[in-house]
Amino acid sequence: MALKCVAVMGWPDSGRSIASGVVFNGVRNSNGEPRKIFVSLGRFSGPADNQKTGKSSTGNDVPGKLCRNLVSLPKPLTISVTPNDGTQVRISFKGSPGSFTEDAALKAYPNCETIPCDEFEEAFKAVELWLAEKAILPIENSSGGSIHHNYDLLLRHRLHIVGEVQFVANFCLLARPGIREEKLKCVLSHPQALASSDIVQTQLGVARENIDDTASAAQYVASNGLRDAGVVASARAAEIYGLNILADRIQDDPDNITRFLVLARDPIMPRTDKPFKTSIVFTLDEGPGVLTKALAVFALREINLTKIESRPQKMRALRVVDDSNTGRAKYFDYLFYIDFEASMADPRAQNALGHLQEFATFLRILGCYPMDTSL
Ligand SMILES: O=C(O)C(=O)Cc1ccccc1
């Protein structure tokens, strides 16, 4: 049983915290009722950790009553120090070995073990089932925009965002050894990779075929011995699948950046000694200016927003409003996803979310994590 700890975070004027997560009171809504925000940042102490003593939890092999009681006491807060180069960390991702998502995982955790999955959903499940400690998934791209499906998965699953990775994907045109560009009749790749290069779009004048990920395209061409098919993928994929690089850096925008999120079962401790971001999702009532009001809670506290995304609420796509003046109206119902530049350990962020919670109909903190400032 791993030693677990709980971390407490509250409003500056909070009076108390309870239970295995933390509920903070002290903020009241417009009706004077207390508002609560629940932020669980760690794990609670479970049954006694016997690994260190090597004794059984019954305490039968511990002489004396006092010692027996001590064994069953909760352990003090311990911060486990694991190397953060990814040693001993298994990271699940959607795609084959050699994909850009795997590259992003290796950028963040150079010594991690990567676990390829067929679907994003499986990468989530691998963490939920303890087959992996973390999952990594692309969430937005500087040229293609948001990856909507992954926003939906963030909400459907209960994992926490614990990191972000900004990654410049370097697209290469690959083919089997001995095959020249003129021989190609089609190019296979992930749609984002195919769309990012004018060479592939127009200059080659060949058909394009979408494949789930760049490395799977390379694997397919290599393992089927295709002599008239090229691939857009990474130099690492070329090496893994024994393909030749016909052209390097074929992307039109040399700064084409993909942002990946790293997810884990437990949230990390927010800090203020380095830049942190917080990601949330919320819903609002229908009405004029409600979104302006929601955004103002951040502006009022000079908190910078880095991303806003809206997604339809699939379980409740249409909201029917009966109004005696205008009659029956149907509206689409939306979820709003926002990333802002502040740590949950910063009172400004806590106050902004307390304020938002006064009128949001639903609010969830998806994660608070260090900003990737490497680019
Ligand atoms: O297909 C891949 O290799 C992926 O990991 C997805 C992707 C595709 C293009 C840019 C970044 C990530």
Side-chain angles (χ1 to χ4, degrees), residues 94 99-101 138 141 169 171 190 192-193 212-215 258 260:
K94 180 198 168 177
S99 75
F100 289 108
T101 307
N141 179 276
F171 297 133
H190 183 281
Q192 182 60 49
D212 260 11
D213 75 282
T214 56
T258 305
F260 295 85

Side-chain angles (χ1 to χ4, degrees), residues 9 11 37-41 140 151 154 160-164 259 261 267-272 274-282 298 303-309 336-354 356 363-372:
M9 182 169 67
W11 308 111
I37 189 159
F38 189 92
V39 188
S40 75
L41 293 171
E140 58 178 321
Y151 274 95
L154 284 179
H160 302 263
I161 306 173
V162 295
E164 65 171 359
R259 181 170 165 253
L261 295 178
I268 53 165
M269 189 85 80
R271 288 162 51 170
T272 50
K274 56 180 179 175
F276 264 63
K277 247 185 208 177
T278 303
S279 298
I280 58 168
V281 54
F282 59 93
F298 301 101
I303 297 176
N304 189 39
L305 305 185
T306 54
K307 181 77 205 286
I308 176 162
E309 183 63 55
F336 297 100
Y337 291 80
I338 280 184
D339 295 343
F340 60 86
E341 278 179 328
S343 164
M344 279 308 296
D346 177 344
R348 290 177 312 142
Q350 298 167 12
N351 288 334
L353 293 192
L356 178 59
L363 171 62
R364 186 173 137 197
I365 299 172
L366 294 168
C368 177
Y369 47 94
M371 278 166 63
D372 181 356

Side-chain angles (χ1 to χ4, degrees), residues 103-121:
D103 277 340
L106 292 167
K107 177 184 172 190
Y109 303 92
N111 293 316
C112 70
E113 181 191 332
T114 52
I115 303 183
C117 300
D118 282 342
E119 298 297 337
F120 288 121
E121 189 94 43

Side-chain angles (χ1 to χ4, degrees), residues 230-286:
V231 175
V232 180
S234 67
R236 211 163 57 85
E239 202 182 309
I240 293 174
Y241 300 107
L243 298 176
N244 273 0
I245 301 177
L246 299 181
D248 192 5
R249 295 183 194 281
I250 60 170
Q251 62 269 28
D252 303 327
D253 175 5
D255 295 326
N256 187 337
I257 296 169
T258 305
R259 181 170 165 253
F260 295 85
L261 295 178
V262 182
L263 308 170
R265 283 181 299 276
D266 295 313
I268 53 165
M269 189 85 80
R271 288 162 51 170
T272 50
D273 58 345
K274 56 180 179 175
F276 264 63
K277 247 185 208 177
T278 303
S279 298
I280 58 168
V281 54
F282 59 93
T283 52
L284 297 168
D285 268 332
E286 192 58 45

Side-chain angles (χ1 to χ4, degrees), residues 3 53 63 65 151-152 164 224 277 295 298 308 318 359-360:
L3 198 63
T53 60
K65 195 163 181 267
Y151 274 95
D152 299 342
E164 65 171 359
N224 290 290
K277 247 185 208 177
L295 299 182
F298 301 101
I308 176 162
L318 279 181
F359 51 91

